[in-house]
Amino acid sequence: MNLLKSLLILISFSCFVSCSKKDDAVVTNDLEGFTLVTTLNNNTHKIELYTTSGKFQTGYNEIYVRIKNAQGNTVNNATITWTPTMHMMGMTHSCPASTISKNKGYIVFQMAGTEEEYWDLKVNYTIDDVAYTVTDTIQVAASAKRVVETFQGSDNNRYVLALVNPVKPAVAVNDISAVLYKMESMTSFVVVNNYTIKIDPRMTGMGNHTSPNNVNLTQGTAGMYYGKLSLTMTGYWKINLQLADATQTIVKGEAVTDTNEGSSIYFELEF
């Protein structure tokens, strides 16, 4: 009987170790291509935040969230939400932030932080019906190129438009994607549906020439906007933008013409 009991204990322990290793392997796999940015701490957990660039920066940031308990083990059954907040001039505002699914989500920072004007991030999470929270300041740097636009449209709505891809542009017809949000209040942003993001890429240092085979961005899966961006040579490209609503009325941005070299809203790429 004692031998049988010992065998059962050994089998249970082996299963626990095996399952733990499997879970760790899955998490490690999910983190491929991500670099730790910062760790938020409370009395019970460490909340690790990862991005592909290894930092938070203005524009679109894909973020992986990993929670570890006091023993250093990864927690895989947490339900997580977050709230980014900018503190500036005695007031606060937020920014577009997705839901978190399978520990991944994204945040679109419209502006960089400084010592006087700074971002913090509040993370709420639930594990086995127990609620936890942590809030701490985070560093947000300015992106090297213009990858996010915040503006008021002719319809009096305020919008946030951010470039998602291409992260590594090539001399080719590239897949281009972006996210588009409407600002309902200082703390509320909603995905805009059924608009069109018109693009006109130009090489400003090469006679402002354009390129063929571009396809304007329209809404696809998960609310994101997708199109095709033709880049015919390496160098600096200005991606002129026009935002059209569901009726194809232009609410922001101007067409490039012989007398107008660029739109008032645009993205930048250089490679």
Side-chain angles (χ1 to χ4, degrees), residues 221-242:
T221 57
M224 201 168 286
Y225 284 75
Y226 300 90
K228 297 291 183 181
L229 173 66
S230 175
L231 303 175
T232 54
M233 60 189 299
T234 59
Y236 171 82
W237 287 85
K238 179 179 179 181
I239 317 302
N240 296 284
L241 306 169
Q242 288 183 284

Side-chain angles (χ1 to χ4, degrees), residues 151-159 182-183 195 251:
F151 54 86
Q152 182 167 320
S154 58
D155 56 1
N156 292 321
N157 289 312
R158 290 198 63 83
Y159 295 93
K182 184 184 296 183
M183 182 178 178
Y195 276 34
V251 297

Side-chain angles (χ1 to χ4, degrees), residues 84-86 93-97 107-110 119 160 186-187 189:
T85 303
M86 162 57 80
H93 67 78
S94 189
C95 63
I107 297 176
V108 179
F109 296 108
Q110 314 99 312
W119 288 94
V160 179
M186 297 292 281
T187 58
F189 298 80

Side-chain angles (χ1 to χ4, degrees), residues 169-175 211-214 228-233 271:
V171 177
V173 177
N174 297 259
D175 291 325
S211 59
N213 304 317
N214 294 286
K228 297 291 183 181
L229 173 66
S230 175
L231 303 175
T232 54
M233 60 189 299
F271 66 106

Side-chain angles (χ1 to χ4, degrees), residues 259-271:
T259 57
N260 180 50
E261 292 188 350
S263 177
S264 56
I265 55 172
Y266 58 92
F267 296 140
E268 295 177 309
L269 291 173
E270 189 168 13
F271 66 106

Side-chain angles (χ1 to χ4, degrees), residues 57-70:
Q57 53 193 353
T58 51
Y60 176 93
N61 296 258
E62 184 180 15
I63 302 170
Y64 188 97
V65 183
R66 179 162 74 171
I67 299 175
K68 288 187 174 181
N69 60 24

Side-chain angles (χ1 to χ4, degrees), residues 188-225:
S188 176
F189 298 80
V190 295
V191 172
V192 178
N193 297 315
N194 302 319
Y195 276 34
T196 301
I197 303 166
K198 298 185 177 183
I199 58 172
D200 187 347
R202 299 278 174 158
M203 291 204 83
T204 57
M206 300 285 290
N208 211 37
H209 74 75
T210 186
S211 59
N213 304 317
N214 294 286
V215 178
N216 294 328
L217 285 70
T218 55
Q219 195 173 29
T221 57
M224 201 168 286
Y225 284 75

Side-chain angles (χ1 to χ4, degrees), residues 16-30 64 66 74-77:
F16 171 77
V17 171
S18 174
C19 291
S20 298
K21 287 182 177 179
K22 184 178 179 182
D23 288 343
D24 288 343
V26 169
V27 171
T28 302
N29 235 9
D30 289 345
Y64 188 97
R66 179 162 74 171
T74 300
V75 178
N76 293 316
N77 63 333

